[in-house]
Amino acid sequence: MAPLGQVSDFDVRLIRVFKAVVECGGFSAAEGVLGVGRSAISLHMNDLERRLGLRLCQRGRGGFSLTEEGRQVYEAGLTLLASLETFRTEVNGLHESLRGELNIGITDNLVSMPEMHITHALAELKARGPEVRINIAMEAPDSIARGVVDGRLHVGVVPEVNLPSSLASEALYDERSLLYCADSHPLFAEAVTDPQRLAAHEAVVPGYPLPEAARAAHARLHGAATASDREGAAFLILTGCYIGYLPDHLAAPWVAAGRLRALCPDSCHYRIPLVAITQRDRRPHRVLEAFLAALG
């Protein structure tokens, strides 16, 4: 029990009873509002008066009336209950309106993916939390993974290759890569059907991690140049001096313009799973959780 004259959480419930009694004009009239009998209301009122150390009302044959202390407690109770309602409204509003930052790392050239999961999720996040600040870092996959591990990034979107065990991953989609040559390359005008003939031509070798199937596909080529990312590979292939693998969505504009052509697409291809990565044992972060929910 709270010390005499001090208000506890239980007193707040009793004040709600008192408010109903005052506004109904008596115990009997308050029965229907409170859903309890007159004797229970009387016990609650006696308990409140005892806990506050004040006589709040007169009741008896002469009817119900407030004492001066009762009137002041009633007014103070209205202020208290209004403040509680304001607090509840503001806390509930926090669940509806997001605030804060989302630091996301994305590997290069994913913006042209036809499955625009990331774009749509970011748009949904911004619609739900107009005050959310989104910070995007375009980095190499290993740099993104390190950034998520050390907390610099909240989430990353990378190929599912060599990920640390401390990271959790959520599948997004697969990215298909085909073998291409440029319009100035000798193979562009040939109808090549035998993949073994391709080994005679210089090719771009990736300088970034790949899954086993992709490494095997590159191993069958004659590596003569290195690219640190897919955009670098595209630069080299477009010189007409090299053949090389590119994601089909990245190559699509040049294919449409007649600048690139896929070589032996039925046999020279591979897929790389792309995933969203987060710390496995991360602390709760409402903005991040909202983004991940939108991705799903």
Side-chain angles (χ1 to χ4, degrees):
M1 182 181 298
L4 192 64
Q6 296 185 15
V7 178
S8 70
D9 292 340
F10 180 65
D11 294 317
V12 174
R13 295 195 290 272
L14 296 180
I15 287 171
R16 294 187 186 278
V17 174
F18 177 49
K19 175 178 178 289
V21 170
V22 173
E23 293 175 355
C24 291
F27 292 11
S28 298
E31 289 181 279
V33 173
L34 295 173
V36 295
R38 189 178 187 283
S39 60
I41 294 174
S42 180
L43 288 174
H44 287 322
M45 287 297 299
N46 288 337
D47 199 8
L48 179 61
E49 289 180 328
R50 180 174 56 83
R51 293 169 72 86
L52 296 180
L54 298 170
R55 181 71 172 174
L56 301 178
C57 60
Q58 303 291 342
R59 56 264 200 193
R61 293 183 178 180
F64 175 85
S65 63
L66 287 176
T67 63
E68 178 58 26
E69 291 83 1
R71 184 188 63 79
Q72 294 183 40
V73 169
Y74 172 71
E75 296 293 336
L78 292 180
T79 301
L80 171 63
L81 295 176
S83 297
L84 288 174
E85 184 60 31
T86 299
F87 173 79
R88 180 168 57 187
T89 300
E90 291 180 357
V91 170
N92 288 341
L94 292 176
H95 292 277
E96 299 172 1
S97 178
L98 294 172
R99 294 180 179 85
E101 289 190 343
L102 178 71
N103 299 323
I104 176 172
I106 304 178
T107 194
D108 66 306
N109 300 121
L110 293 189
V111 70
S112 55
M113 288 286 290
E115 304 91 346
M116 299 180 66
H117 298 337
I118 302 168
T119 303
H120 293 159
L122 291 173
E124 184 175 328
L125 175 66
K126 192 62 177 174
R128 183 176 170 188
E131 297 181 33
V132 170
R133 181 181 179 88
I134 299 172
N135 304 308
I136 291 183
M138 303 300 298
E139 300 179 15
D142 56 349
S143 176
I144 293 173
R146 288 195 301 270
V148 175
V149 169
D150 64 27
R152 176 175 60 86
L153 299 172
H154 297 123
V155 59
V157 179
V158 296
E160 191 177 25
V161 182
N162 300 335
L163 296 178
S165 60
S166 60
L167 296 179
S169 63
E170 176 181 333
L172 295 178
Y173 34 60
D174 286 351
E175 180 184 66
R176 186 180 70 155
S177 289
L178 300 174
L179 184 63
Y180 291 94
C181 71
D183 55 351
S184 55
H185 193 279
L187 291 177
F188 190 85
E190 294 187 27
V192 182
T193 58
D194 183 3
Q196 294 185 354
R197 287 188 53 203
L198 302 176
H201 296 269
E202 293 188 335
V204 181
V205 177
Y208 44 88
L210 292 172
E212 178 57 35
R215 291 199 302 271
H218 284 278
R220 290 190 286 268
L221 302 177
H222 170 42
T226 303
S228 63
D229 53 40
R230 286 91 63 86
E231 187 173 358
F235 270 111
L236 290 170
I237 295 168
L238 285 166
T239 66
C241 300
Y242 308 94
I243 61 175
Y245 281 92
L246 291 175
D248 55 5
H249 62 90
L250 175 59
W254 289 298
V255 172
R259 295 287 313 281
L260 290 180
R261 181 172 77 83
L263 300 170
C264 301
D266 292 337
S267 56
C268 295
H269 60 83
Y270 59 80
R271 291 182 176 272
I272 299 179
L274 292 167
V275 295
I277 56 173
T278 56
Q279 290 182 349
R280 188 175 298 278
D281 298 321
R282 64 183 182 272
R283 294 180 178 179
H285 188 290
R286 292 187 60 241
V287 173
L288 173 58
E289 302 308 325
F291 174 71
L292 294 176
L295 272 180

